[in-house]
Amino acid sequence: MPDYVPHTDAEIDAMLGFLGLDHLGQLYDHIPHAVRLARGLDLPEGLSESEVISAFDGFAQRNRAAATDLVCFAGGGAYEHELPSAVKAMASRSEFLTSYTPYQPELAQGVLQALFEYQSMLCALSGLDVANASLYDGASAAVEGVNLAAAATGRRHVVVSRGIHPHVRAALHTYAAGSGLAITEAPLADGVTAWPADLAEPACLLVAYPNYLGVLEDVSEAARLAESNGALLVAYADPVASGLLRSVGSMGADVAVGEGQPFGSAMSFGGPYVGLFAVKDAAYVRRWLPGRLVGETVDADERRAYVLTLSTREQHIRREKASSNVCTNQTVIAIAAAFHMAWLGPRGIREMALQCARGARYLRDCLTMIAGVEPAVGAPTLYEQAYRVPRSPLVVLDRLADEGFLGGIALDGDYPELGNAILTTVTETRTRQEIDAFAAAFEKACSP
Amino acid sequence: MPDYVPHTDAEIDAMLGFLGLDHLGQLYDHIPHAVRLARGLDLPEGLSESEVISAFDGFAQRNRAAATDLVCFAGGGAYEHELPSAVKAMASRSEFLTSYTPYQPELAQGVLQALFEYQSMLCALSGLDVANASLYDGASAAVEGVNLAAAATGRRHVVVSRGIHPHVRAALHTYAAGSGLAITEAPLADGVTAWPADLAEPACLLVAYPNYLGVLEDVSEAARLAESNGALLVAYADPVASGLLRSVGSMGADVAVGEGQPFGSAMSFGGPYVGLFAVKDAAYVRRWLPGRLVGETVDADERRAYVLTLSTREQHIRREKASSNVCTNQTVIAIAAAFHMAWLGPRGIREMALQCARGARYLRDCLTMIAGVEPAVGAPTLYEQAYRVPRSPLVVLDRLADEGFLGGIALDGDYPELGNAILTTVTETRTRQEIDAFAAAFEKACSP
Amino acid sequence: MTVPPALQSPGAGRAASAPLLGHEAEPTIFELSAPGRRAWSFRNTGVHEWAAEELVPAEHLALEPVALPEVSERDLVAHASRLSHRNYSVDLGAYPLGSCTMKYNPKMCDAVAAMPGLVGCHPAQPESQIQGWLALMHGLTEALCEVTGMAAATLQPAAGAAGELTGLLLMRAWHQSQGNPRTKVLIPDSAHGTNPASVTLGGYEAVTVPSNAQGLVDLAALRDLLDDEVAGLMLTNPNTLGLFEREITEIAAALHEVGGLLYYDGANLNAILGVVRPGDMGFDIVHMNLHKTFATPHGGGGPGAGPVAVTERLAPFLPGPLVRHDDEAETYRWFTPAQSIGRMHLWHGNAMVLARAYSYILGYGGPGLRRVADAAVLNARYLKERVRGSYDFPFDDPCMHEFVASAARIRRETGVKALDLAKRFIEEGFHPPTMYFPLIVDEALMVEPTETESPQTVEAIAQALLRIAEEAATDPEAATAAPRTTVVSRVDEARAARDLKVRWRAED
Amino acid sequence: MTVPPALQSPGAGRAASAPLLGHEAEPTIFELSAPGRRAWSFRNTGVHEWAAEELVPAEHLALEPVALPEVSERDLVAHASRLSHRNYSVDLGAYPLGSCTMKYNPKMCDAVAAMPGLVGCHPAQPESQIQGWLALMHGLTEALCEVTGMAAATLQPAAGAAGELTGLLLMRAWHQSQGNPRTKVLIPDSAHGTNPASVTLGGYEAVTVPSNAQGLVDLAALRDLLDDEVAGLMLTNPNTLGLFEREITEIAAALHEVGGLLYYDGANLNAILGVVRPGDMGFDIVHMNLHKTFATPHGGGGPGAGPVAVTERLAPFLPGPLVRHDDEAETYRWFTPAQSIGRMHLWHGNAMVLARAYSYILGYGGPGLRRVADAAVLNARYLKERVRGSYDFPFDDPCMHEFVASAARIRRETGVKALDLAKRFIEEGFHPPTMYFPLIVDEALMVEPTETESPQTVEAIAQALLRIAEEAATDPEAATAAPRTTVVSRVDEARAARDLKVRWRAED
Ligand SMILES: Cc1ncc(COP(=O)(O)O)c(C=O)c1O
Ligand SMILES: Cc1ncc(COP(=O)(O)O)c(C=O)c1O
């Protein structure tokens, strides 16, 4: 056992002696016997550090990791991107990693300033005015987005595009059981959201850009629709695509939400990621912005300093009247994202998005040569694309796995209307050679 | 190309403009054309970070790493020990890693204090009074040890036990070509050094404890012999064994040298390791101690502070009269060693040595059951043991490799007098299960 | 020879912002930017280099570059390193921040969280490719159930508050399945702020239960509030005063009597590991903060992980997917419970945090975890007794892993507030305790030394607390002007809220 | 209720030693020790637990435990973290320490140096198991030969000084093979201290060659010193003044005329990468400091790597083993040259340092390395011209990657020494230049900005240098009392040497 408890027996005795106690058990004398655990915990014996490492090596070996043991063409909300060593090294500095929420600003200027920079970069990315210091993930960001819209509009109905990630839609429904919001789903027509004619007093429209099927939705049109219905437009925006595409803010979104994993985080089996959240600088910032917010101010000597601000919105002050319950967020993941965005800069982020798009385009050229394989939707896409395949997607994916590829995500469960379809993704990590090999394997996998 | 040069073209132009130059080539105008390189360097095009990582992944995959792809029973100067994550994490802190030699003590208290602590621990380990802040490796430490003895005694002849690591002996000979020292090798009799009757005015005796064949040499006897011949005893001491054995200082050694790799460093294909060096607090410290030395002092406000001291011994002051030319040493490796020693403490280091010895004893019980396998030397050993095997050591080792074991080091090249022999090592990392499997494979490998 | 203006940027490259060299402000990364500079590089993919216009319809193409900074990797690393030197952390020293359980985060767990075979998995890989992850999650789930005395658990919630909401939605689903979702959830006045906020988000009215003179739930008052519209009661035990609810059995019985569910805010399990289990006390739902009890690093505010464990009867409502072991096929499989409330996370929760926590649990094992509890309680109890006299304890039951001191008397007598004491405490070389929480204690200082601080450290904290209390009487200015040793002096929070500046702008 | 003495240790757990929280001294790790405490844990091997007495003869068994500290992992980590906060580094800011080439050390190279498939190899594994390592070393050797214009190289030397000695032993072996080892090696008066020291260790007499008024080798004086007892001449080019030896062709010819060998101290190749090559200038032997030019981190003083490259005729004498490619078998193999001088390292050199350097070279490629030289020279040249006037340049040829300024005039006029200026420069937020080297410049300040500092940083350094020179005239005390912003003020070096205390003792 590694034993991170420093106390020696002699020291324990000394402390007990000071307290007038004889043994450790007496610390719990005031706890009713009836509820005390009479036995020890039924857990395996402790292990030494190297034994623990071996055990986890064992877990790791029972995985076929997409990033190392396979060539990954899967995305759908979790992406393999090139993660610079400098970003990893800096974000794992122990001062960031082992500190708490910066309640004492004098001791936390590092975290606070890094978050301030993160917020600033998110504003640049989204084309909006105020970004918070992170939420849990894309799903929770979307939930908070519709909740904010409901609070700001006083309405109880939200219209959600079916182009939103299926898991995000699931979470919206789960959370809505508590919030009582009514959710209408707007279907996709050839990959593009077909907003219902009657929007029924919506608090907001929620659209993804690009959407889950990779499609470039018409955000401006959604914004117009929202505005004309007195609703907000909440856009679930892919931050990588933002490097090349118009910002959702510039197209009229009031709130941008999304998943920040591509910046600073590995696929990590789904977490920890970071929920992106930015809004227009409207009156509702001060009352309804969820989560932490870092502001610039000065210290007693008028030096520039940073501090958590507008905390009167938050649960620890407003308690049951708070608009959100979020407390611990994803700070160090947000910091990693900020470092990664700074590493990229305006040209790097554009190049990254462009390389993804080029690879996807090349893959489409290859895959559409295969008999029975075609884009499942006709609308323009960026670097993710749904393909119709001539046999069960799971069989195709299994066969691809045998050839060393994670071929994508089967869509028949979430989008039965597309028939046998697979969502594939190409990032800047994929070479032409890999794409060629994948296309060849794909052809084989599709053959009877 | 990752391009760590920050200069933009515009900035280069601005700087050139300030200097009154038109283009970068003019920076070299004063260099004779005849010697200028007319072409570009004939090196491959630069690679991006991820391409470099891929290239090195490629190198890594072409190795069968003893620590991960094989089960390692090899030692002989490079050992697989359990390396605590905390030690690795702390020693790789960028403040230690990316600073220079602490010439400016006000900016380098961290490195200086860590080295002071390292020196102190080395004194404890060796039973001697003064340790320097590291040398390159065990070989260079041994060289500096005999050089110090020669300087201190004014003699030009050293007697070196054949139990000293063959590579260390090779280095002693290589360096002696420059220093002019004469080296006599004392042979081994059943694994123990047989000092020649006539030591011929030696500057020192050099003995290993335990020696390369794992044998516990009689250091006290060597010390008596050295003393009665007016020589110093230089002991090449295994720092792990020091956890269980009497310190070489307590047995009369004047100088302790050795290889510190087991503390804080992985096998690393042989480097960087760290040369250990400690001496009795005799007059020769001030004049002949090689390498850096950290001393405690105070600052202008009488606060405790550390600083490089006695630099008048060193090359940058004494130049051609310096006893050693060492400048850059192995500081951060020494710091890692210090952190590891502190992690172990007195009981941990003993437990570590004991577990090694237990494993080696168990392995001996197993291997000596195999027909034709027997200890190659009869003297008591600690955790390394030479075994005579019934066929070519290289064949045995090859067959063991096929079964997933690095079986040890063939001794027939360096110690032909032992016949077909293999040096095996057991550290605290090896389990009974692994030893059982190894013994079974060993039997198979020895069979015709 | 005039200096080109582009080269003027006096802050550049200087480390005076690192406290080692001075106390100047660190420029923002935007202020280190120079047009055209770069850190990035990408793989040469060999794919044809279509122009953006060939790939993206014109109406979608960005009109201008994203206004991110342009910096060299060297300047980015220096900036980040200097920022790190402007931040305190557990790794630097004691952090007795009550309710936050700032224990040592073992480096071993960092090593686990960096394993390529774990970190490189895509969350949508098919079961057959992720058996290691499923085994890990299954093992962790079982361990958490054993620690809490529960039957089943979800690992999805990303933090404690998300766990709470999960629990409340489970409560709602349960009651719904019984015919009536009910309308109210009770919470003690000492509860953490996330509790009432979560209650609201769960669609319930938060009704406050007063504490009695001992700082414990007022059982009589509770009984008065109970009726069949009460969905449940959220309790923290030991509560946020660090006190054990002695009447927990009676509380549970009373609640269950009206069909309510008992919720355990297990953010901090430190004091009860191997001592008592929520399940054995009658709780129905428990959330745990792995980033407290199970030593995963807080990351300056996150990520955490807030798994929720429940009794058998609530298991069918858990969010999915969960992991089960298919004994026949000898494989692990995902499954979603029949009446699942749905999803609380985009994927499977903060997986790498879960891996860290499980490595911590495997390291300690059963007896080890009990040792954690013993040392955590011993440290807190010792510290509390050492500072008695200088601070008051309005609620003075024996404390568990933390205690809440009141500086109300000090404030009355000297004008020095809890806030001032906290700031002054910084100069003593420690992170301050939690201030002004729980709300029912005046000028509260909530102190949680944790078990990884040595007795000597705890004693040093005691001496510092005594010293600053004493000093408040003789030299109150020392506290009100504190801290003076830090990179910034006392920060003006009011100004930040008034003149809201929450992003960097070139114009400012 | 008295406090147990064992618990008294006021320094424990406090972070006041971290500059963020104050400037107190950090206790030694020994002072954090408590009997019986531990951080260690080991695998349960399942091997029978023989007692020590059963395994080790009594006369060998330790009589008492090794006096190492006994600390918790938590306290060890905190101590190490706090020590790290008491140290400056390249990662924190500019480090224009002349002759040391403190450029940014790419994190990419750290990632390479952590790869288990590299770091886990035993140095005595058979060739078939280490093809990756052999390929890496072979590739690095070829790259270094191309950069230097040489034919073959050894990677064994662990640092520059070890490389020098290797070179001198090669010189000796060569001359020996020609019948006479010779007796003297010439070195300029501006040479780095390791050069003369290495000459002595190589068994030669070091004979000093004076510099001329330009700071370059005095060719006439050199010619006078040349005879057939001269084994060789060690040159640094650009020399330690940062100046290029313009007459290098003549120097080489003169030396070769008497059968001497020309040695290139290539500690700093930064200025010549892709510009000139030692081989093309007539050098026979070159050592390189990978920990300077090729960006491997200095580690607070080491490890480095000092490969030595030679011309064809010297290749047979190189230390072994070396790596060759067996084209037929398509494998890499070790081989030891016929007349090898032997071994300069326990194994194969500082292998992980070699891996880092090779990753750096592969990243930059050929044109990239030339870009390094251009920027390194441009930065130095710009900085030198910016501070002209405030500092003097006794040797004023155009500088290459560094320059040496003299503060002699400042000292004469104000009493402020180069040392004081260096200490004062710390307060400006930078690491100071190298002081008092080379010896031929009075009150020398040797400044090497390196290529990874941005033009803005170089300008900021310039302004700081100008400011402190100006201030020396008006307020000399500011410099002589500096530094005052650091964790310790000026350190008493004399006391350290006088009252030698080089280890911790409980008694002190
Ligand atoms: C008692 C208690 N409950 C709930 C929470 C909320 O947990 P989290 O911050 O992980 O959302 C906390 C943490 O601050 C807490 O201390
Ligand atoms: C010019 C010169 N030569 C030789 C050396 C010695 O190199 P090392 O410190 O690696 O032994 C140095 C480094 O300080 C140097 O600058």
Side-chain angles (χ1 to χ4, degrees), chain A residues 100 327-328, chain C residues 99 159-161 164 192 194 236 265 267-268 289 291-292:
Chain A
Y100 203 76
C327 178
T328 291
Chain C
S99 204
E164 293 170 20
H192 191 265
T194 50
T236 312
D265 177 340
N268 307 322
N289 282 13
H291 46 302
K292 299 189 167 148

Side-chain angles (χ1 to χ4, degrees), chain B residues 100 103 136 292 325-328, chain D residues 99-100 159-162 164 192 194-195 236 240 265 267-268 287 289 291-292 437:
Chain B
Y100 203 77
Y103 293 141
Y136 303 138
R292 314 278 185 201
N325 67 339
V326 67
C327 177
T328 292
Chain D
S99 204
C100 298
E164 293 170 19
H192 192 264
T194 49
N195 292 9
T236 314
T240 61
D265 178 339
N268 308 322
H287 93 259
N289 282 12
H291 47 300
K292 300 190 168 146
F437 178 75

Side-chain angles (χ1 to χ4, degrees), chain B residues 4-56:
Chain B
Y4 305 107
V5 174
H7 301 58
T8 66
D9 289 347
E11 289 167 346
I12 289 173
D13 287 346
M15 294 175 87
L16 287 172
F18 176 82
L19 294 170
L21 301 177
D22 294 328
H23 59 88
L24 285 168
Q26 290 175 320
L27 293 171
Y28 312 106
D29 269 354
H30 62 302
I31 300 182
H33 261 279
V35 298
R36 304 253 288 269
L37 188 64
R39 55 172 176 83
L41 287 173
D42 184 17
L43 293 172
E45 275 296 296
L47 300 176
S48 74
E49 165 164 346
S50 67
E51 288 165 329
V52 171
I53 301 276
S54 297
F56 278 78

Side-chain angles (χ1 to χ4, degrees), chain B residues 50-89:
Chain B
S50 67
E51 288 165 329
V52 171
I53 301 276
S54 297
F56 278 78
D57 265 334
F59 290 131
Q61 271 159 30
R62 288 162 72 187
N63 295 325
R64 285 183 78 191
T68 47
D69 304 328
L70 298 165
V71 180
C72 180
F73 284 89
Y79 303 94
E80 186 191 1
H81 288 290
E82 293 182 0
L83 209 50
S85 304
V87 170
K88 281 190 274 189

